[in-house]
Amino acid sequence: MTHSDDRGEGGHTFRQRFRLRKRVEGRRLDQYLAAALPDFSRTALQRLIRDGHVVVNGEPAKPSYAVRKNDVIDVAAELPSGPAVAAEDIPLDILYEDEHLLAINKPPDMVVHPAKGHQGGTLVNALLGHTRSLASAGGELRAGIVHRLDRDTSGVILAAKSDAALAALQQQFAARTVEKHYLAVVEREPELDADLIDLPLGRHPRNPEMGAVRRRDGKPAQTIYRVSRRFRGFALLDVQILTGRTHQIRIHLAHIGHPVVADGLYSDRGALYRSDLLGHTPDDDETPLIDRQALHAHHIAFTHPTTGTPMQFSAPPPPDITHLLHTLSTLRSH
């Protein structure tokens, strides 16, 4: 995989090349790129493909193209440049707001911070459109956001409205006094009803977009899971993270043989279809039950940064996870 940025007066061209390995063979082109380029939203990637800015083996391709081993995929995107972050009128699902902080239920397919692949439509753009009273530490690109969620992970995320609130919340995260729980639908049923995964994490030795278990030189990472419900071949987990490493839940669960459903980066498929559950081959026009990792940050508990009051917020899972669980209940109940 190679990439470069060719800068001009009004912006720059982002270029990246991928040479495919066998383990991703058969995955849709848009699903493969969504996993490989996390700074681009899924909608933006589909637009790039349709507009001819993605070529496979030198030829334009459709988003539904099934990638093959040894395919060479080239991506070229014209990106604007400039320091300003635009305030955008994007609806927010606000769970709580006062003069010090906000708790937001982030939808899937929303990038948190503007980056090379997505200058608009991010949570930062939405926050700036909602209020100008945000922590200034880190500049507009941060917009007071205290922690992060991956683009395709939905759920609760906090933003601070003052530098003092931001610093106080960051201190709680650093001290590991913030309690965070996620819902995860995983492949296969864990043997244990609950367990602690205590495995250090670091960079993947070959893929810079991925992390990996690194027993010798990784940073400490602890994840607790509890089985909430079992289905034939799947399970719903309540996952609590004691540390906050990038992709921690996804790496840990994949490492123990239970990858998050439809995790295009850490499992063999980037989408799950009803036909998969029935043992059939999906039709070309079949809509997936879910085409992003089935992971949702559903609960957070912390201390208010100013008053010291205990706070906790829960966010209901979005429709795609709700629909997935209903379908599993119908087709794969014990």
Side-chain angles (χ1 to χ4, degrees), residues 84-295:
V85 180
E88 297 181 17
D89 185 14
I90 300 172
L92 288 172
D93 182 2
I94 297 174
L95 302 172
Y96 175 83
E97 180 176 12
D98 63 20
E99 64 269 34
H100 305 288
L101 64 90
L102 297 103
I104 298 153
N105 184 13
K106 185 186 87 67
D109 198 30
M110 175 180 267
V111 177
V112 172
H113 298 95
K116 60 177 180 276
H118 215 64
Q119 299 293 315
T122 70
L123 181 58
V124 167
N125 298 111
L127 281 169
L128 291 172
H130 173 72
T131 178
R132 301 302 292 187
S133 298
L134 294 165
S136 60
E140 283 191 327
L141 280 174
R142 182 159 198 162
I145 293 172
V146 183
H147 55 116
R148 63 162 295 180
L149 291 176
D150 295 334
R151 175 197 62 206
D152 282 332
T153 299
S154 53
V156 184
I157 188 168
L158 302 179
K161 287 187 168 184
S162 70
D163 290 348
L166 178 62
L169 289 168
Q170 287 175 329
Q171 190 172 31
Q172 292 182 51
F173 274 88
R176 300 180 184 176
T177 58
V178 177
E179 186 174 320
K180 293 183 289 183
H181 289 259
Y182 293 71
L183 298 177
V185 185
V186 299
E187 304 261 5
R188 297 177 288 279
E189 296 180 57
E191 181 179 352
L192 302 176
D193 287 334
D195 199 10
L196 166 67
I197 306 170
D198 188 358
L199 294 169
L201 302 180
R203 291 184 178 274
H204 193 281
R206 294 178 300 277
N207 188 339
E209 303 295 340
M210 297 176 67
V213 171
R214 303 292 296 263
R215 296 180 186 273
R216 291 185 178 180
D217 59 355
K219 295 181 179 180
Q222 294 87 33
T223 302
I224 297 172
Y225 75 81
R226 301 173 181 86
V227 177
S228 298
R229 187 169 182 186
R230 294 177 178 272
F231 308 96
R232 285 183 290 113
F234 299 88
L236 171 64
L237 307 183
D238 176 281
V239 183
Q240 181 181 1
I241 55 173
L242 305 183
T243 52
R245 309 300 176 198
T246 300
H247 297 177
Q248 176 175 318
I249 293 173
R250 299 163 65 190
I251 300 168
H252 271 169
L253 292 178
H255 186 81
I256 65 170
H258 302 284
V260 176
V261 166
D263 187 339
L265 201 56
Y266 294 101
S267 76
D268 291 332
R269 56 183 171 191
L272 183 70
Y273 295 84
R274 184 183 180 89
S275 55
D276 292 327
L277 303 179
L278 296 172
H280 304 155
T281 301
D283 296 328
D284 290 341
D285 58 352
E286 183 178 355
T287 301
L289 294 170
I290 192 166
D291 60 358
R292 56 100 178 183
Q293 65 253 19
L295 187 62

